[in-house]
Amino acid sequence: TPLYSSAASDVYKRQVYDLSIIESQNKKLQNAFKNLDNYKIHFAAKSLSNISILKFINNLGIGLDAVSIEEVKIGIKCGFNKNEILYTPNGVSFSEIKEAKSLGVKINLDSLESIKEFSEHYPNHSISVRINPGIYAGGNEKISVGHSNSKFGIPEEFIEDLIKMDKVNKIKVTGLHVHTGSDITKNNQFEKGIKKIFSIATKFKNIESIDLGGGIKIPYFLGDTETNLNDYASAVQHEHKKFKNNTGKDLKIIFEPGKFLVSDSGYFITKVNYIKKSKNNNFVQVNSGFNHFIRPTLYNSYHEVINLSNPNDQKEEYTVVGYICEKDTLANKRRISKISKGDLLCFKNAGAYGFNMSNNYNSRLRPAELCIHNNSIKKIREKENLEDLLNLSLIHISEPTRRYAI
């Protein structure tokens, strides 16, 4: 639309978020889970942590899923209730776990080793525990994290150790967490994880909540697959009701969508430098690369490309590539409205893991971030300059002694 086009008219690249889409996605979740008695949505901060976006999400009544002490601190500064920040680290030092505990947020640990150390410092303290369900699910190998060879979560064979610790009051397991992967379309994969975690929950006397993680898939293009939210919600409701009838406990159910809430809201806009022709390709060379938008290279993810400068012309086949000194294909052999030098291209579904996974490889600078709210555009992060790269560098090398021939 002209609104998105004008957001990039004066620069060569920008990351833009439409906040109305985040609000709309939240309403979809609320509608799907409306028959669930006791639930809370937590946003996965790792997907997008701009403070303006986080404050907007907090105002929607959503909690926070944090995987680092930095995300915890940012969440607190953005106004999230500490009781609604769940800290779920993986392989961090115990000093970081202690710091999170001191800040008053909820702790969710995923290894026996960290839990044992935690129990020594805080005996019989309430914690949540991440379980590895031994289920392979997700869009591809890199985002499938609940299988038996994954580094995440406590494998089933060690659950008895947890139960023993809980029984003798070394720890108090009040929550269980499971996350099998991202971009899950087969609800039977969700159902396996749901049934397994509710079954495990019956073994803990102090259980109060079950966190079902994220993984809900959105469509990336017209006709693409997606998670059936109603079927997913029905599976959760069925197990939740059964657990309540059998135990008398009304567990709080937590969901942790990240991509579902923000991916569709994001648009990455960049400028075309050249059209480079080869025997088998028309390479569109853009003024960006995987340093700004790594998902296509890292995960082979699909992002629809729109030529904002010429959206209605006949379509031709292009391969869109970046300016990084590596293979950084952003879109391979796509039919896009005719592209010319200087055109602005827009990559859709760039809200999640776009700017958050950007970097300064090749000493490139990261772009500005903007948001669209109430039909106006606001800058929410300045673009970087060279001084930003140099400010933290320390110079300890003196000037070389100059030698002159006599």
Side-chain angles (χ1 to χ4, degrees):
T1 68
L3 190 61
Y4 298 137
S5 182
S6 66
S9 61
D10 62 334
V11 293
Y12 59 83
K13 50 182 164 282
R14 283 191 173 183
Q15 177 76 49
V16 185
Y17 309 98
D18 187 338
L19 301 190
S20 68
I21 294 177
I22 298 176
E23 194 168 14
S24 174
Q25 290 296 96
N26 181 49
K27 287 179 180 177
K28 287 180 184 178
L29 291 174
Q30 301 288 355
N31 186 58
F33 301 137
K34 62 185 178 183
N35 295 322
L36 196 60
D37 297 332
N38 186 10
Y39 76 94
K40 182 72 179 182
I41 294 172
H42 284 212
F43 173 64
K46 65 179 181 176
S47 62
L48 176 57
S49 58
N50 181 286
I51 59 174
S52 292
I53 304 294
L54 289 180
K55 286 183 176 182
F56 179 80
I57 288 172
N58 180 40
N59 289 338
L60 295 177
I62 294 173
L64 196 70
D65 162 40
V67 298
S68 71
I69 194 64
E70 290 81 7
E71 287 182 356
V72 168
K73 292 176 180 178
I74 291 171
I76 292 172
K77 283 186 176 292
C78 289
F80 285 90
N81 187 320
K82 292 181 180 181
N83 287 326
E84 294 181 345
I85 297 177
L86 186 64
Y87 168 64
T88 308
N90 177 259
V92 302
S93 68
F94 190 70
S95 62
E96 182 171 316
I97 296 171
K98 286 176 67 177
E99 187 175 2
K101 168 70 173 56
S102 71
L103 291 171
V105 299
K106 293 191 173 181
I107 308 295
N108 183 39
L109 301 181
D110 86 333
S111 73
L112 273 181
E113 292 75 16
S114 61
I115 290 171
K116 287 176 180 177
E117 190 164 6
F118 186 88
S119 70
E120 292 169 1
H121 286 79
Y122 312 104
N124 203 30
H125 192 279
S126 296
I127 61 166
S128 180
V129 175
R130 180 171 180 173
I131 302 296
N132 182 322
I135 297 170
Y136 189 94
N140 61 63
E141 182 182 355
K142 292 182 180 179
I143 54 177
S144 298
V145 295
H147 54 85
S148 58
N149 290 320
S150 171
K151 71 171 186 172
F152 296 99
I154 296 175
E156 287 183 89
E157 57 263 33
F158 297 112
I159 290 176
E160 283 300 320
D161 294 326
L162 281 177
I163 295 170
K164 290 176 183 177
M165 292 176 70
D166 188 67
K167 283 182 177 179
V168 298
N169 297 327
K170 285 189 174 182
I171 55 171
K172 185 185 289 184
V173 178
T174 56
L176 293 178
H177 174 279
V178 65
H179 177 65
T180 53
S182 299
D183 284 352
I184 299 174
T185 58
K186 298 177 181 178
N187 272 309
N188 65 323
Q189 294 178 337
F190 272 125
E191 289 172 15
K192 286 179 183 178
I194 293 166
K195 289 179 179 179
K196 183 163 286 189
I197 202 68
F198 271 97
S199 175
I200 294 171
T202 62
K203 302 175 182 180
F204 292 93
K205 59 184 179 181
N206 299 304
I207 195 72
E208 297 173 359
S209 66
I210 285 181
D211 187 331
L212 294 173
I216 302 170
K217 186 182 183 303
I218 59 169
Y220 296 117
F221 52 88
L222 187 64
D224 190 19
T225 57
E226 61 182 306
T227 302
N228 187 314
L229 268 181
N230 291 329
D231 287 351
Y232 175 49
S234 294
V236 177
Q237 290 160 19
H238 175 76
E239 293 302 318
H240 183 250
K241 185 177 181 179
K242 186 168 72 172
F243 187 92
K244 186 176 180 180
N245 290 339
N246 291 339
T247 66
K249 292 184 176 182
D250 182 18
L251 297 183
K252 182 178 183 179
I253 307 300
I254 299 171
F255 302 95
E256 293 179 344
K259 194 186 300 179
F260 182 88
L261 281 172
V262 301
S263 185
D264 245 353
S265 76
Y267 304 84
F268 182 65
I269 301 169
T270 189
K271 188 177 181 180
V272 176
N273 289 335
Y274 294 102
I275 312 295
K276 180 180 179 180
K277 297 184 181 296
S278 69
K279 182 177 180 180
N280 298 313
N281 270 302
N282 285 329
F283 288 109
V284 177
Q285 298 175 311
V286 298
N287 214 9
S288 184
F290 70 49
N291 57 317
H292 298 141
F293 194 40
I294 199 171
R295 293 193 72 248
T297 302
L298 184 63
Y299 294 134
N300 197 32
S301 61
Y302 182 99
H303 297 266
E304 186 178 352
V305 184
I306 299 172
N307 185 351
L308 294 177
S309 302
N310 185 29
N312 300 315
D313 207 340
Q314 65 182 12
K315 293 188 176 182
E316 299 182 9
E317 186 177 271
Y318 300 99
T319 293
V320 184
V321 295
Y323 61 9
I324 291 300
C325 192
E326 307 281 351
K327 181 179 179 181
D328 60 345
T329 302
L330 302 176
N332 186 48
K333 293 188 179 298
R334 298 280 187 84
R335 294 194 63 78
I336 306 168
S337 185
K338 188 175 180 180
I339 299 174
S340 302
K341 178 182 178 181
D343 282 354
L344 294 175
L345 300 188
C346 172
F347 293 83
K348 297 180 69 175
N349 286 108
Y353 307 100
F355 192 94
N356 263 31
M357 296 183 83
S358 64
N359 58 74
N360 296 115
Y361 187 49
N362 286 182
S363 296
R364 294 292 186 178
L365 307 175
R366 291 186 293 177
E369 290 180 288
L370 301 93
C371 74
I372 301 167
H373 187 41
N374 294 332
N375 217 35
S376 65
I377 297 175
K378 298 177 182 179
K379 185 181 289 185
I380 55 177
R381 187 192 297 267
E382 295 285 356
K383 64 180 180 180
E384 290 180 337
N385 57 47
L386 188 60
E387 285 68 33
D388 294 322
L389 294 189
L390 299 176
N391 279 342
L392 295 179
S393 297
L394 304 176
I395 300 175
H396 290 296
I397 307 300
S398 60
E399 289 291 328
T401 302
R402 297 185 182 274
R403 297 183 179 181
Y404 298 93
I406 297 176

